[in-house]
Amino acid sequence: MLDPRLRAAVDRLPGMLRRIAGYHLGWWDADERPVAASPGKAIRPALVLLAAEAVEDRVDEAMPAAVAVELVHNFSLLHDDVMDVDRMRRNRPTAWTVFGVSQAIIAGDAMASLASAVLSESAGPWAASAVRWLNDCVVDLCDGQFLDVAFEQLDRVDLAECLRMVHGKTSALLGVSCALGALAGGGTPRQVELLRQFGYHLGLAFQLVDDLLGIWGDPAVTGKPVGADLVRRKKSLPVVAALASGTAAGDELARTYRADTPVDVARTSELVELAGGRKWAETRADEELAHAMACLDYANCAPRARGYLVEVANLVVRRNH
């Protein structure tokens, strides 16, 4: 359902902006020859459509919102790859390594603008609210990404600061995806808010698992080198929990992060685990999933859609950690 509409939206971009967006989305190579690369998991648009089905089963009316959140997500990934100097995504070279840094940033900007355009053209009476919510979410996302980059320059970051960063970087978009689906699907204000909270807690769980995979993930699954976050001395949630542990391993980890020498990935990941960072993140991910399920229980969802939302939530949290 999503793919033809997403392609139609991207086709509206001019020239090289379209080419870069389609390359990033895995549709073609740098010369626009079709390829069978991974387009990503499409979790956010899936949440939009399932939330619409969960309230009044008006899925087609929610399709512009599904396209919009996928465009916003990929705008953020294009920028994220530049800021993190990631050379691989989904097991292929990132867009900035192929087309250039400036070009990738501009293509990302165009995708964000296109998302608002797609949503504003929706026929429903909810379109104005939806555009406002999406734009507010983009501001939250940028705030979260700003904090994520800023943390790399700090010796210490407390968990409260780190969780605020995750709220913007990840939870806000998953929350608004569910809210937009429920809104477009004709849900009550209570259903819209409960599904927003479902997505918000799912977003926290998602980021916790993503951070775990950034340290211990299989490159064949993640598409990134093992320990990539540690090499960049990234203040991910497991690392921040380990640094705050007050343990000898946590103190050694702090010294490793401050040192002006290459990171020993094997030893550093061991330190995060010894200091309790891995266990804390796994436990907190399970807790956030439980909070998400509680919100779903109160939202009075249609049984079939609820079942699929549970499946998506479990997929997010059980990703090889």
Side-chain angles (χ1 to χ4, degrees):
M1 294 174 67
L2 175 74
D3 190 65
R5 290 171 169 88
L6 184 60
R7 286 176 181 264
V10 170
D11 280 344
R12 295 167 56 176
L13 295 174
M16 284 300 296
L17 296 178
R18 174 183 173 276
R19 181 180 293 188
I20 295 169
Y23 173 87
H24 170 75
L25 289 163
W27 297 339
W28 48 65
D29 66 13
D31 296 315
E32 225 168 303
R33 295 183 295 251
V35 296
S38 170
K41 296 177 287 294
I43 285 174
R44 291 152 190 85
L47 290 173
V48 171
L49 300 179
L50 288 171
E53 183 180 339
V55 292
E56 288 288 343
D57 202 14
R58 286 155 43 182
V59 173
D60 200 59
E61 291 187 34
M63 186 56 68
V67 171
V69 299
E70 187 67 353
L71 288 169
V72 165
H73 174 55
N74 282 282
F75 132 74
S76 75
L77 295 182
L78 276 165
H79 286 201
D80 197 44
D81 287 341
V82 170
M83 287 181 282
D84 289 344
V85 201
D86 279 336
R87 305 191 70 85
M88 298 292 293
R89 179 173 291 280
R90 300 166 185 159
N91 295 304
R92 67 200 299 243
T94 46
W96 71 267
T97 68
V98 176
F99 298 100
V101 169
S102 298
Q103 291 83 349
I105 291 171
I106 294 167
D109 294 343
M111 292 176 81
S113 295
L114 181 61
S116 286
V118 168
L119 203 50
S120 68
E121 292 161 6
S122 304
W126 47 269
S129 294
V131 171
R132 185 174 68 252
W133 291 0
L134 185 69
N135 287 337
D136 287 345
C137 174
V138 169
V139 172
D140 285 341
L141 194 158
C142 292
D143 180 53
Q145 191 62 46
F146 181 90
L147 291 172
D148 193 27
V149 172
F151 289 170
E152 294 182 19
Q153 309 302 318
L154 302 176
D155 288 340
R156 290 280 182 175
V157 176
D158 66 38
L159 275 173
E161 291 175 307
C162 203
L163 288 167
R164 176 192 160 195
M165 176 270 292
V166 171
H167 160 74
K169 182 179 177 182
T170 306
S171 292
L173 187 54
L174 267 72
V176 86
S177 296
C178 294
L180 289 175
L183 179 69
T188 66
R190 183 171 186 271
Q191 285 178 310
V192 171
E193 182 55 31
L194 283 167
L195 284 164
R196 183 196 294 272
Q197 288 298 316
F198 164 78
Y200 172 79
H201 289 293
L202 185 59
L204 284 172
F206 185 101
Q207 188 61 54
L208 285 155
V209 173
D210 216 51
D211 287 352
L212 288 163
L213 292 174
I215 300 174
W216 294 283
D218 179 354
V221 175
T222 64
K224 296 182 180 182
V226 65
D229 286 355
L230 298 178
V231 170
R232 292 199 309 272
R233 293 175 169 82
K234 193 175 183 70
K235 304 293 195 310
S236 63
L237 283 162
V239 169
V240 172
L243 290 171
S245 66
T247 62
D251 292 341
E252 184 179 340
L253 177 65
R255 292 193 294 273
T256 298
Y257 261 49
R258 288 195 300 268
D260 189 21
T261 55
V263 170
D264 180 337
V265 170
R267 176 57 180 166
T268 306
S269 62
E270 181 184 31
L271 290 172
V272 177
E273 185 157 10
L274 289 172
R278 183 173 191 170
K279 181 63 176 176
W280 177 86
E282 290 172 343
T283 300
R284 183 64 184 262
D286 289 338
E287 291 172 352
E288 293 300 335
L289 178 62
H291 288 315
M293 292 300 101
C295 293
L296 205 56
D297 288 340
Y298 286 112
N300 192 28
C301 297
R304 191 182 87 126
R306 184 194 182 283
Y308 285 137
L309 285 168
V310 171
E311 285 190 33
V312 171
N314 281 310
L315 171 69
V316 163
V317 179
R318 309 301 175 200
R319 288 177 296 151
N320 191 34
H321 86 279

